[in-house]
Amino acid sequence: MNRLESLLAAVHQCTICEKHLPHGVRPVLQINPKAKVLIVGQAPGRKVHESGVPFDDASGDRLRDWMGVTREVFYDAEQVAILPMGFCYPGKGKSGDLPPRPECAPAWRDQLLSHLSNVELTLLIGQYAQAYHLKQKPGSLTETVRGWRTYSPDMIPVPHPSPRNNIWLSKNPWFEKELLPELRRQVHRVLANLAS
């Protein structure tokens, strides 16, 4: 068993925050050292927890549309890695899912990222991913996403693609007009390099 396989086996046996997970432990991630695109989300939702497939929900449909990729490309681990900030479903809160468990990233993130040396583009979905990965982050998610050119082409911050963010999207039309076309260009550029 190679180092990554051993690490993934340990991740899938992890129980460090089990007592805080109302629906139990089920780490959901996708990783391959060949991946060129890294998606950093928050944590799996209830539907993803049940299926065990990352972004297997309405948020995933919107994210794939934002990226301009098919399900086949999205779920090809040699092209796209998916490492949320928390690997297990944290449960429901008052206004949506609870935040990713804080134990997860310190326990596993750096170890897993060390196997992704071929990543050329990282999508930072939501405030938890942005707070962790961006060195100089403005105050709000809107400011961070609006300042996406500061981080491009290596990283692109985006809001969560959840239907809960429809109001945010309607209030910020520049996101679809300016950022999404560039996001698609960057994704296609990186994945075209992979195919060549």
Side-chain angles (χ1 to χ4, degrees), residues 44 65 83 89 112 116 183 185 190 192:
D65 179 61
L83 292 181
Y89 174 48
L112 288 163
L116 291 174
L183 171 60
R185 272 193 293 275
V190 169

Side-chain angles (χ1 to χ4, degrees), residues 68-82:
V69 298
T70 63
R71 285 181 67 92
E72 290 74 26
V73 169
F74 189 83
Y75 291 117
D76 179 353
E78 291 190 0
Q79 298 188 67
V80 177
I82 304 171

Side-chain angles (χ1 to χ4, degrees), residues 120-124 134 144-157 178-179 181-187 189-190:
E120 295 180 23
L121 174 64
T122 300
L123 273 62
L124 302 174
L134 296 179
T144 303
V145 176
R146 192 184 292 277
W148 63 272
R149 289 177 183 88
T150 306
Y151 314 108
S152 181
D154 301 330
M155 295 187 181
I156 298 181
E178 299 170 25
L179 193 153
E182 183 60 23
L183 171 60
R184 290 184 185 118
R185 272 193 293 275
Q186 295 294 349
V187 168
R189 174 187 62 81
V190 169

Side-chain angles (χ1 to χ4, degrees), residues 1-169:
M1 187 180 290
N2 69 32
R3 283 177 53 238
L4 179 55
E5 288 171 341
S6 299
L7 179 57
L8 284 173
V11 167
H12 286 289
Q13 294 167 7
C14 178
T15 59
I16 58 173
C17 57
E18 183 175 25
K19 66 183 178 183
H20 303 289
L21 300 173
H23 300 279
V25 174
R26 186 172 195 184
V28 180
L29 62 153
Q30 173 175 299
I31 185 171
N32 185 294
K34 294 180 180 178
K36 296 283 189 178
V37 174
L38 170 61
I39 296 171
V40 181
Q42 296 183 160
R46 179 67 188 259
K47 186 175 179 187
V48 169
H49 173 78
E50 291 169 358
S51 73
V53 178
F55 285 101
D56 184 26
D57 54 15
S59 296
D61 292 339
R62 178 176 271 168
L63 178 59
R64 286 183 284 278
D65 179 61
W66 284 358
M67 296 172 67
V69 298
T70 63
R71 285 181 67 92
E72 290 74 26
V73 169
F74 189 83
Y75 291 117
D76 179 353
E78 291 190 0
Q79 298 188 67
V80 177
I82 304 171
L83 292 181
M85 294 305 300
F87 297 148
C88 296
Y89 174 48
K92 271 273 188 253
K94 290 180 183 175
S95 59
D97 290 344
L98 291 168
R101 289 300 312 168
E103 300 90 342
C104 196
W108 303 113
R109 193 147 203 86
D110 287 346
Q111 294 178 74
L112 288 163
L113 289 173
S114 73
H115 291 275
L116 291 174
S117 58
N118 289 311
V119 167
E120 295 180 23
L121 174 64
T122 300
L123 273 62
L124 302 174
I125 298 173
Q127 62 180 336
Y128 301 103
Q130 293 161 14
Y132 186 92
H133 285 271
L134 296 179
K135 302 286 186 254
Q136 298 176 334
K137 187 185 96 58
S140 71
L141 178 133
T142 300
E143 291 169 327
T144 303
V145 176
R146 192 184 292 277
W148 63 272
R149 289 177 183 88
T150 306
Y151 314 108
S152 181
D154 301 330
M155 295 187 181
I156 298 181
V158 297
H160 198 282
S162 167
R164 288 179 172 272
N165 277 336
N166 287 344
I167 293 172
W168 187 94
L169 292 169

